[in-house]
Amino acid sequence: MAQGAKDPSSAASTDSESPQTSPGAVFGNIFVFIKARYETSANTLKDAVTLLACRPDIQKALRADLGKTKSSVTILDGYVEATVDETLRLYTLLPIFPKTTREIPHSFSISSSGYTIPADTLILMNTSATHRNPKYWPAAVPTAGDGPPYRVPSFDRSH
């Protein structure tokens, strides 16, 4: 066979052909996507129910808020939205956020000090710690003039 000629019996794809995916691989990916979606939703609901079980005052207010709701549009405007937001803040779906600098080093400054992250460095941002940092998420301290619903009720009593 001449150099560069294509062997008709070869199963390898060329640049002009799209790669083929086996039906097993397609079904495997579908299973993973469905399972991942199910598990994140189930875990979020479990975490929300656990938080509500620890805070009967919020649970009671949420129940009253749901009783007043007339449409699905207004359901995300009170304790329901606040409960979901607070649950996802305390029990984030992605606790570590990975990034890489790839081939290019990155320079930045913090408080007028310069830093350079070398090329091909893996950076892991701890979103769980960020979501519980008291600098950004101070403990909610309701005062006599505050009335429910608070924008985001504080389920986290560790502060």
Side-chain angles (χ1 to χ4, degrees), residues 36-48:
R37 185 180 69 196
Y38 164 77
E39 286 197 8
T40 55
S41 299
N43 283 332
T44 300
L45 286 171
K46 180 242 338 153
D47 293 335

Side-chain angles (χ1 to χ4, degrees), residues 4-65:
K6 183 177 172 186
D7 180 2
S9 64
S10 171
S13 62
T14 63
D15 291 339
S16 63
E17 297 174 357
S18 63
Q20 298 295 313
T21 304
S22 71
V26 171
F27 287 119
N29 281 317
I30 290 171
F31 174 76
V32 167
F33 291 144
I34 290 172
K35 184 171 173 55
R37 185 180 69 196
Y38 164 77
E39 286 197 8
T40 55
S41 299
N43 283 332
T44 300
L45 286 171
K46 180 242 338 153
D47 293 335
V49 168
T50 302
L51 289 171
L52 289 169
C54 294
R55 292 293 304 269
D57 56 328
I58 302 288
Q59 187 181 135
K60 184 177 179 181
L62 175 64
R63 189 178 300 129
D65 204 25

